Amino acid sequence: QKEVEQNSGPLSVPEGAIASLNCTYSDRGSQSFFWYRQYSGKSPELIMSIYSNGDKEDGRFTAQLNKASQYVSLLIRDSQPSDSATYLCAGRRTSYDKVIFGPGTSLSVIP
Amino acid sequence: EAGVTQSPTHLIKTRGQQATLRCSPISGHTSVYWYQQALGLGLQFLLWYDEGEERNRGNFPPRFSGRQFPNYSSELNVNALELEDSALYLCASSLIRGAETQYFGPGTRLLVL
């Protein structure tokens, strides 16, 4: 069983729509969660982190965490073609532990 | 401020050879992480170095090893290369041990023939 799972996609949404990316994790000891964005041929970059149950908003991005359900999601409002990328969900137990990445979900925003 | 740098950008080896990949973290960063990104497998954690010591290791065989130098740069060595070692190897650094944000380098693409 993979520790962090994501639908590989591709997920296609029209420009201006809400893109919803989902992630589940198996380690109940995980405390911190991260969303990284990776453009094709580029390196991952951190876009959101979340530690507590509930929602965390940053501009057009909202991360949601439900520890009871072991579920993390990322919502992208008003999706733009420039949001087309692979989104990597990741988690770790403590700041002294390794970060475990999911396989990523490919998002395509259609103009 | 210069980002994380890695060398070489591409590396071609044959089975059984050894590969050495290098990483220079962002100035002031003490932690260096190594990941393998193979097609369809996502980012797999390899090694974590901080202050010159190995802090954590992923589920890879011992032929994957590395070290961190006093200037915090790092080296990843892969011995007895196998075809399935072909992948993009990414290095990341963080300001302090366990910091939230890891900054990734451009990667070294290793091809084993």
Tab-separated table of all heavy atoms in Angstrom, chain A residues 42-64:
chain	number	residue	atom	x	y	z
A	42	LYS	N	10.189	20.728	-15.144
A	42	LYS	CA	10.695	21.604	-14.086
A	42	LYS	C	10.691	20.875	-12.748
A	42	LYS	O	10.200	19.756	-12.627
A	42	LYS	CB	9.824	22.872	-13.980
A	42	LYS	CG	9.773	23.689	-15.246
A	42	LYS	CD	11.123	24.292	-15.575
A	42	LYS	CE	11.028	25.229	-16.769
A	42	LYS	NZ	12.362	25.795	-17.130
A	43	SER	N	11.234	21.541	-11.743
A	43	SER	CA	11.288	20.958	-10.406
A	43	SER	C	10.042	21.317	-9.609
A	43	SER	O	9.394	22.320	-9.895
A	43	SER	CB	12.522	21.478	-9.674
A	43	SER	OG	13.688	21.153	-10.376
A	44	PRO	N	9.715	20.519	-8.607
A	44	PRO	CA	8.551	20.847	-7.765
A	44	PRO	C	8.776	22.124	-6.963
A	44	PRO	O	9.904	22.444	-6.582
A	44	PRO	CB	8.471	19.633	-6.818
A	44	PRO	CG	9.254	18.556	-7.478
A	44	PRO	CD	10.338	19.249	-8.229
A	45	GLU	N	7.684	22.840	-6.705
A	45	GLU	CA	7.743	24.019	-5.852
A	45	GLU	C	6.565	23.964	-4.893
A	45	GLU	O	5.450	23.604	-5.270
A	45	GLU	CB	7.726	25.301	-6.667
A	45	GLU	CG	6.532	25.455	-7.574
A	45	GLU	CD	6.508	26.783	-8.323
A	45	GLU	OE1	7.155	27.745	-7.868
A	45	GLU	OE2	5.829	26.840	-9.355
A	46	LEU	N	6.809	24.333	-3.648
A	46	LEU	CA	5.775	24.299	-2.619
A	46	LEU	C	4.753	25.409	-2.857
A	46	LEU	O	5.118	26.565	-3.053
A	46	LEU	CB	6.406	24.466	-1.244
A	46	LEU	CG	5.453	24.442	-0.056
A	46	LEU	CD1	4.881	23.040	0.125
A	46	LEU	CD2	6.160	24.900	1.221
A	47	ILE	N	3.468	25.050	-2.846
A	47	ILE	CA	2.436	26.070	-2.979
A	47	ILE	C	1.579	26.186	-1.724
A	47	ILE	O	1.030	27.258	-1.452
A	47	ILE	CB	1.540	25.836	-4.224
A	47	ILE	CG1	0.965	24.426	-4.251
A	47	ILE	CG2	2.303	26.124	-5.497
A	47	ILE	CD1	-0.053	24.217	-5.351
A	48	MET	N	1.410	25.114	-0.976
A	48	MET	CA	0.580	25.172	0.232
A	48	MET	C	1.081	24.141	1.242
A	48	MET	O	1.552	23.073	0.871
A	48	MET	CB	-0.880	24.844	-0.071
A	48	MET	CG	-1.642	25.868	-0.885
A	48	MET	SD	-2.115	27.306	0.076
A	48	MET	CE	-3.400	26.623	1.133
A	49	SER	N	0.934	24.487	2.510
A	49	SER	CA	1.157	23.517	3.570
A	49	SER	C	-0.022	23.625	4.538
A	49	SER	O	-0.623	24.690	4.666
A	49	SER	CB	2.460	23.787	4.307
A	49	SER	OG	2.458	25.082	4.864
A	50	ILE	N	-0.364	22.520	5.185
A	50	ILE	CA	-1.472	22.532	6.126
A	50	ILE	C	-1.188	21.556	7.249
A	50	ILE	O	-0.640	20.463	7.009
A	50	ILE	CB	-2.819	22.236	5.403
A	50	ILE	CG1	-4.000	22.407	6.357
A	50	ILE	CG2	-2.800	20.856	4.767
A	50	ILE	CD1	-5.358	22.471	5.646
A	51	TYR	N	-1.537	21.935	8.470
A	51	TYR	CA	-1.228	21.125	9.638
A	51	TYR	C	-2.459	20.779	10.467
A	51	TYR	O	-2.479	19.781	11.166
A	51	TYR	CB	-0.232	21.857	10.540
A	51	TYR	CG	0.984	22.347	9.822
A	51	TYR	CD1	1.086	23.682	9.428
A	51	TYR	CD2	2.035	21.482	9.525
A	51	TYR	CE1	2.203	24.126	8.745
A	51	TYR	CE2	3.153	21.938	8.846
A	51	TYR	CZ	3.231	23.265	8.459
A	51	TYR	OH	4.333	23.706	7.778
A	52	SER	N	-3.475	21.639	10.396
A	52	SER	CA	-4.650	21.451	11.242
A	52	SER	C	-5.859	21.078	10.403
A	52	SER	O	-5.953	21.447	9.227
A	52	SER	CB	-4.960	22.750	11.998
A	52	SER	OG	-3.845	23.169	12.741
A	53	ASN	N	-6.794	20.381	11.025
A	53	ASN	CA	-8.039	20.058	10.338
A	53	ASN	C	-8.738	21.327	9.898
A	53	ASN	O	-8.731	22.346	10.593
A	53	ASN	CB	-8.972	19.275	11.280
A	53	ASN	CG	-8.608	17.816	11.356
A	53	ASN	OD1	-8.130	17.220	10.394
A	53	ASN	ND2	-8.824	17.224	12.524
A	54	GLY	N	-9.359	21.247	8.735
A	54	GLY	CA	-10.092	22.401	8.246
A	54	GLY	C	-9.511	22.916	6.950
A	54	GLY	O	-8.854	22.183	6.216
A	55	ASP	N	-9.800	24.172	6.680
A	55	ASP	CA	-9.385	24.796	5.435
A	55	ASP	C	-8.290	25.823	5.686
A	55	ASP	O	-8.253	26.476	6.724
A	55	ASP	CB	-10.573	25.513	4.777
A	55	ASP	CG	-11.667	24.554	4.361
A	55	ASP	OD1	-11.481	23.333	4.546
A	55	ASP	OD2	-12.703	25.016	3.853
A	56	LYS	N	-7.435	25.971	4.679
A	56	LYS	CA	-6.427	27.022	4.690
A	56	LYS	C	-6.409	27.634	3.305
A	56	LYS	O	-6.234	26.927	2.316
A	56	LYS	CB	-5.043	26.457	5.037
A	56	LYS	CG	-3.946	27.501	5.047
A	56	LYS	CD	-2.603	26.885	5.386
A	56	LYS	CE	-1.484	27.923	5.329
A	56	LYS	NZ	-0.147	27.291	5.598
A	57	GLU	N	-6.611	28.949	3.264
A	57	GLU	CA	-6.724	29.630	1.982
A	57	GLU	C	-5.515	30.503	1.715
A	57	GLU	O	-4.978	31.161	2.603
A	57	GLU	CB	-7.997	30.488	1.985
A	57	GLU	CG	-8.353	31.096	0.642
A	57	GLU	CD	-9.700	31.809	0.683
A	57	GLU	OE1	-10.647	31.251	1.265
A	57	GLU	OE2	-9.778	32.939	0.175
A	58	ASP	N	-5.094	30.529	0.459
A	58	ASP	CA	-3.998	31.397	0.031
A	58	ASP	C	-4.277	31.793	-1.409
A	58	ASP	O	-4.024	31.021	-2.334
A	58	ASP	CB	-2.654	30.671	0.145
A	58	ASP	CG	-1.474	31.577	-0.209
A	58	ASP	OD1	-1.694	32.762	-0.548
A	58	ASP	OD2	-0.318	31.103	-0.148
A	59	GLY	N	-4.855	32.978	-1.574
A	59	GLY	CA	-5.198	33.429	-2.912
A	59	GLY	C	-6.241	32.530	-3.542
A	59	GLY	O	-7.301	32.287	-2.954
A	60	ARG	N	-5.959	32.012	-4.711
A	60	ARG	CA	-6.915	31.140	-5.394
A	60	ARG	C	-6.853	29.699	-4.896
A	60	ARG	O	-7.636	28.856	-5.326
A	60	ARG	CB	-6.650	31.169	-6.905
A	60	ARG	CG	-6.864	32.515	-7.557
A	60	ARG	CD	-6.725	32.437	-9.081
A	60	ARG	NE	-5.391	32.061	-9.518
A	60	ARG	CZ	-5.093	30.908	-10.104
A	60	ARG	NH1	-6.020	29.992	-10.323
A	60	ARG	NH2	-3.838	30.657	-10.493
A	61	PHE	N	-5.925	29.417	-4.012
A	61	PHE	CA	-5.726	28.048	-3.531
A	61	PHE	C	-6.322	27.852	-2.129
A	61	PHE	O	-6.168	28.711	-1.267
A	61	PHE	CB	-4.229	27.710	-3.477
A	61	PHE	CG	-3.538	27.755	-4.806
A	61	PHE	CD1	-2.860	28.894	-5.213
A	61	PHE	CD2	-3.566	26.669	-5.645
A	61	PHE	CE1	-2.220	28.949	-6.438
A	61	PHE	CE2	-2.929	26.705	-6.873
A	61	PHE	CZ	-2.258	27.845	-7.267
A	62	THR	N	-7.003	26.727	-1.946
A	62	THR	CA	-7.489	26.334	-0.620
A	62	THR	C	-7.098	24.885	-0.373
A	62	THR	O	-7.431	24.004	-1.166
A	62	THR	CB	-9.016	26.466	-0.511
A	62	THR	OG1	-9.389	27.819	-0.718
A	62	THR	CG2	-9.494	26.006	0.868
A	63	ALA	N	-6.378	24.666	0.705
A	63	ALA	CA	-6.047	23.306	1.112
A	63	ALA	C	-7.026	22.886	2.205
A	63	ALA	O	-7.403	23.694	3.058
A	63	ALA	CB	-4.623	23.221	1.625
A	64	GLN	N	-7.441	21.639	2.160
A	64	GLN	CA	-8.359	21.103	3.155
A	64	GLN	C	-7.763	19.841	3.751
A	64	GLN	O	-7.203	19.012	3.029
A	64	GLN	CB	-9.714	20.789	2.501
A	64	GLN	CG	-10.397	22.002	1.889
A	64	GLN	CD	-11.659	21.620	1.131
A	64	GLN	OE1	-11.681	20.645	0.394
A	64	GLN	NE2	-12.706	22.418	1.312
